[in-house]
Amino acid sequence: MLTLATATIQRGTQRREDLIGALDESRDRLQTTLTSIGDGVITTDGDGRVTLLNPVAQALTGWTQQDAEGRPLEEIFIIRNADSGAEVENPVRKVLREGNVVGLANHTVLIAKNGQKIHIDDSAAPIRHANEVAGVVLVFRDITERKRSEEALQASNTALSLANDDLRQFAFAASHDLQEPLRMITAYSQLLVRGYGGEGSSAQREGEAAVCIDFITQGTKRMRELLADLLAYTQLTGETELTIGPVDLNEAAATAIENCSLAIAETAASVTSKALPVVAGYKPHFVQLFQNLISNGIKYRSERPPRVHVSVQREGGYWRIAVKDNGIGIAPQYQEQIFGVFKRLHGRSIPGTGIGLAICKRVVERYGGKIGVESEAGEGATFYFTVPVNSFGPQSNTDAHG
């Protein structure tokens, strides 16, 4: 009996020693892990007293493991609100009280032992034993460089915004204030031809003057168009408080077609449209968008009478609106650059300012969509843009893809 009892005791002792050995091994492995990671790590016991500072935590706080061990965490990990300087509740105390993982926002600063302020973000989690919180592990990192980058970016964005405001004001003033001098140039040049004097026959004088007036008139007309388009483009950047509501694209397209009626009549063009959806937006933007795309289909025509067709189809959460023409088309290598400001492929052989498609791109991107073109030289072009689907009004009339 004694031998059996002795054997049982020995086995129990061995199991305890094995368990202690396993715990020590696990503790050593955990400590090795915590000391090798790139973030600061502090562990505490159930009373919130420091048990471990890894090397990163020692470097950030300025405390050594020897000096910090056994001290309340509040003496080692001193934190303040970065904006107000007010005290922030120590995350370890909150974990010990609530038993949950907590994290602080990245507007917290750590006050190091030497008084240095370090921007940090952190999180703390409970260490549990037998369903009780036996301690806390606190992980934090230095985000000072990130904060500096954010502040520099914010300052840059502010400066850019101010520069854009100045540019918009300049563009508005230039386009608005120059219209009157241009009108005066046209008017007085016409007066000049009426009073044209000098030697030579009356017919000769009138012919020479007429040529001069034609050059002046065409030049001022082009300048007025350029200034008007430039103003429209800059205004799209500056409009921030527009009334957004339901826009019936059928009405927007109809208004655009009416605005192009003179060009349609002069070229015997045909402009047709399938039933279009109702979207969220600002109606003048979509009138401007359709007008530019339809007028392009008429302007860049081939020898055939222009044919422009507007259609729509649903693609996931977006409507894809297509404006197809039978014009001269666009070679693939130019299909990206045409959406830039002042990008024109045909010089002055075809009238225009080179801003229309840039305006279209600005409108579409304002509503979170994309614009592009599918074309081959001599084969016509299909300009398309996407706009998000919304719940405004009935949408069933767009089920046909047209």
Side-chain angles (χ1 to χ4, degrees):
M1 283 295 290
L2 184 59
T3 302
L4 179 60
T6 301
T8 301
I9 293 172
Q10 288 176 342
R11 285 195 296 271
T13 302
Q14 184 62 46
R15 281 198 298 271
R16 284 196 300 273
E17 290 176 352
D18 291 343
L19 179 60
I20 292 172
L23 289 173
D24 288 341
E25 184 178 350
S26 297
R27 188 180 299 109
D28 291 342
R29 188 180 297 113
L30 175 61
Q31 184 163 347
T32 300
T33 301
L34 294 179
T35 56
S36 63
I37 65 176
D39 292 335
V41 177
I42 302 176
T43 61
T44 75
D45 60 19
D47 295 323
R49 295 184 176 276
V50 174
T51 57
L52 169 72
L53 270 75
N54 77 341
V56 177
Q58 295 180 48
L60 292 177
T61 63
W63 287 84
T64 65
Q65 170 70 29
Q66 182 178 359
D67 291 337
E69 191 169 353
R71 291 177 179 269
L73 183 69
E74 290 85 349
E75 296 182 12
I76 310 303
F77 192 72
I78 302 171
I79 50 178
R80 298 284 186 271
N81 182 281
D83 300 322
S84 65
E87 291 187 9
V88 176
E89 182 181 15
N90 194 290
V92 168
R93 291 300 168 190
K94 190 171 183 180
V95 172
L96 291 174
R97 182 177 69 250
E98 299 178 1
N100 298 317
V101 176
V102 301
L104 296 181
N106 62 12
H107 57 268
T108 302
V109 291
L110 167 68
I111 311 300
K113 191 175 183 180
N114 61 3
Q116 180 185 4
K117 296 180 180 179
I118 302 169
H119 288 275
I120 63 167
D121 63 8
D122 68 356
S123 63
I127 300 172
R128 296 186 180 276
H129 176 69
N131 294 325
E132 297 290 335
V133 177
V136 176
V137 57
L138 171 68
V139 180
F140 59 102
R141 66 181 55 180
D142 182 357
I143 61 167
T144 302
E145 288 302 320
R146 189 176 83 192
K147 292 292 291 185
R148 287 174 181 166
S149 297
E150 290 173 355
E151 291 168 358
L153 179 60
Q154 184 177 8
S156 177
N157 287 340
T158 300
L160 182 60
S161 177
L162 292 173
N164 284 338
D165 287 342
D166 290 342
L167 179 60
R168 284 192 293 270
Q169 292 174 11
F170 170 77
F172 177 82
S175 59
H176 182 270
D177 295 345
L178 284 176
Q179 294 288 349
E180 185 59 30
L182 289 172
R183 283 191 291 267
M184 290 180 63
I185 291 172
T186 302
Y188 280 103
S189 63
Q190 292 170 344
L191 289 175
L192 179 63
V193 74
R194 297 193 189 107
Y196 187 89
E199 299 180 356
S201 69
S202 175
Q204 180 184 10
R205 290 197 304 271
E206 290 176 0
E208 292 172 352
V211 172
C212 292
I213 293 302
D214 185 60
F215 278 124
I216 294 172
T217 301
Q218 292 301 319
T220 53
K221 178 176 179 292
R222 175 172 168 75
M223 182 66 77
R224 284 197 300 271
E225 292 173 349
L226 183 61
L227 292 173
D229 282 352
L230 180 61
L231 178 60
Y233 183 78
T234 55
Q235 283 179 330
L236 280 171
T237 305
E239 294 168 348
T240 55
E241 297 183 356
L242 297 175
T243 302
I244 302 299
V247 177
D248 187 338
L249 293 187
N250 296 290
E251 297 178 1
T255 301
I257 293 171
E258 183 179 351
N259 293 344
C260 296
S261 58
L262 180 59
I264 292 172
E266 289 177 344
T267 60
S270 169
V271 181
T272 57
S273 176
K274 288 289 186 179
L276 301 175
V278 176
V279 301
Y282 180 60
K283 184 177 178 180
H285 285 169
F286 289 97
V287 171
Q288 193 173 37
L289 176 59
F290 279 120
Q291 186 169 324
N292 278 319
L293 295 178
I294 292 170
S295 64
N296 266 9
I298 298 171
K299 186 188 305 179
Y300 294 95
R301 59 187 177 274
S302 63
E303 296 179 355
R304 298 168 294 176
R307 297 290 181 264
V308 181
H309 181 66
V310 183
S311 61
V312 61
Q313 65 181 21
R314 177 84 175 256
E315 292 185 348
Y318 288 84
W319 295 115
R320 185 182 190 270
I321 315 293
V323 180
K324 182 178 182 179
D325 64 59
N326 65 340
I328 60 177
I330 306 165
Q333 63 266 33
Y334 301 118
Q335 291 177 9
E336 289 291 333
Q337 73 178 59
I338 58 174
F339 293 100
V341 180
F342 303 125
K343 298 297 184 182
R344 307 184 67 225
L345 303 183
H346 304 281
R348 296 190 179 182
S349 62
I350 297 178
T353 62
I355 303 179
L357 289 177
I359 290 174
C360 292
K361 186 172 186 288
R362 183 65 63 88
V363 169
V364 172
E365 291 180 347
R366 184 184 185 94
Y367 293 101
K370 296 181 179 180
I371 189 169
V373 63
E374 297 169 351
S375 179
E376 293 288 343
E379 299 296 329
T382 300
F383 284 88
Y384 66 88
F385 64 90
T386 60
V387 61
V389 174
N390 62 79
S391 58
F392 286 125
Q395 306 286 342
S396 58
N397 63 346
T398 63
D399 290 341
H401 289 183

